Amino acid sequence: MENSLLQTKGRIFNIQRFSIHDGPGIRTIVFLKGCPLRCRWCCNPESQEWDIQIMTQGGTVKTVGKDVTVGEVLEEVEKDRVYYMRSGGGGMTLSGGECLWQADFSAALLQAAKEKGIGTAIETTGYAEMDVIRKLLPYVDTVLMDIKHTDGAKHKEFTTADNALILENARHIASEAKELIIRTPVVPTFNDSSIEIDGIARFAASLPKVKEMHILPYHKIGSDKYAGLGRGYTMSHIEAPSKEHMLMLKETVEKHGLICRIGG
């Protein structure tokens, strides 16, 4: 492996081991700094800004953000190689934030992992130029892509960006990626009606090779981080969808011939 690959630098804010919700098998999640969207319900608001920040949580003041090399991250990821193998296809997942925001670092990290025989996945909004996304795709086994809404105006209202680029990119990624799984956060007042989920499922089912869609119920985990960053949390009045409601939405998705999972 070329030393220049291992010395590629990026900015992360956390590495989480032993995850089972962000791709197949047991995984190590690398959370990257920086995101072009500002989703109202984001549970990692500390990921949005590129700058290194100070956040207070549970009475503890901590620094959020750290500059690292691919080699340093890979050293941590390799610690659980035996668990990846035993869990049948586990590995490393890049999350955030948005890994496309740091495309060169993400591509280098994914390539290094593949050269070490470690499975790879990314969680992405798909909000970037397709040429940027293509830097990563050769080294990604599974793309977990959010499709939050099919209505551009409502998407912009809740995330600050229109969804036209995202929907167009989804079509390209579906054709070019090894595997694409569509994921939809189910957020009351935004997209939790059967009509809205049906529209997203219909779009997902139209994509080449896409067989699976995950629906993720809204939660307030991470809402305390907003105060810790000196920000307000505008979704505090929203309650999580019920189990019964999620099961109804699951049936809505499955009518389109997709495998549907509640949760990641």
Side-chain angles (χ1 to χ4, degrees):
M1 188 180 299
E2 293 184 8
N3 188 57
S4 59
L5 193 69
L6 295 175
Q7 291 304 313
T8 305
K9 292 184 178 180
R11 183 168 291 177
I12 68 172
F13 68 94
N14 192 23
I15 297 179
Q16 177 182 309
R17 298 166 67 186
F18 303 111
S19 173
I20 57 172
H21 300 294
D22 303 274
I26 293 173
R27 311 196 68 82
T28 297
I29 316 302
V30 182
F31 291 91
L32 280 72
K33 267 285 212 172
C35 184
L37 303 184
R38 293 294 181 270
C39 301
R40 291 184 186 179
W41 61 88
C42 180
C43 62
N44 289 324
E46 75 274 33
S47 74
Q48 295 175 348
E49 297 291 339
W50 164 256
D51 293 339
I52 294 174
Q53 298 168 285
I54 300 298
M55 181 173 71
T56 303
Q57 191 174 22
T60 301
V61 179
K62 59 182 180 180
T63 301
V64 181
K66 178 182 180 182
D67 292 329
V68 294
T69 65
V70 164
E72 289 170 335
V73 175
L74 197 60
E75 184 178 350
E76 188 70 18
V77 171
E78 283 197 279
K79 291 179 180 179
D80 295 323
R81 176 188 290 273
V82 64
Y83 299 107
Y84 308 149
M85 296 172 63
R86 290 179 179 175
S87 64
M92 177 187 73
T93 299
L94 302 190
S95 188
E98 172 54 69
C99 63
L100 301 177
W101 197 248
Q102 299 184 55
D104 291 338
F105 174 68
S106 296
L109 183 52
L110 291 162
Q111 181 181 347
K114 292 300 291 180
E115 290 186 14
K116 289 284 189 177
I118 295 171
T120 57
I122 63 171
E123 295 180 317
T124 181
T125 65
Y127 192 71
E129 294 301 320
M130 195 59 211
D131 286 347
V132 171
I133 298 171
R134 288 190 176 108
K135 291 182 180 182
L136 279 62
L137 287 184
Y139 314 112
V140 180
D141 297 318
T142 302
V143 177
L144 303 163
M145 182 177 179
D146 276 11
I147 300 294
K148 300 176 176 71
H149 215 292
T150 56
D151 181 86
K154 198 164 189 182
H155 191 279
K156 186 172 184 178
E157 178 187 355
F158 279 76
T159 72
T160 70
D162 181 83
N163 64 352
L165 179 63
I166 293 169
L167 298 180
E168 181 61 26
N169 285 344
R171 297 182 180 97
H172 292 296
I173 294 169
S175 297
E176 300 176 30
K178 297 181 181 73
E179 180 183 35
L180 171 61
I181 296 173
I182 299 301
R183 306 211 303 181
T184 299
V186 176
V187 183
T189 71
F190 172 55
N191 67 353
D192 68 325
S193 73
S194 59
I195 293 175
E196 289 164 312
I197 295 299
D198 181 79
I200 297 170
R202 183 181 297 109
F203 174 78
S206 75
L207 299 173
K209 301 184 294 184
V210 170
K211 301 176 181 178
E212 195 168 340
M213 177 172 162
H214 300 168
I215 51 176
L216 294 74
Y218 165 79
H219 57 73
K220 294 183 182 179
I221 298 172
S223 59
D224 60 319
K225 297 177 182 179
Y226 286 79
L229 291 167
R231 295 172 53 184
Y233 183 65
T234 62
M235 303 287 285
S236 59
H237 63 293
I238 301 298
E239 297 300 325
S242 68
K243 179 180 179 181
E244 291 74 20
H245 188 69
M246 293 301 298
L247 288 171
M248 180 272 289
L249 296 180
K250 181 175 184 289
E251 291 180 0
T252 299
V253 173
E254 290 171 340
K255 290 176 182 177
H256 292 275
L258 295 167
I259 298 168
C260 184
R261 180 192 304 175
I262 298 175

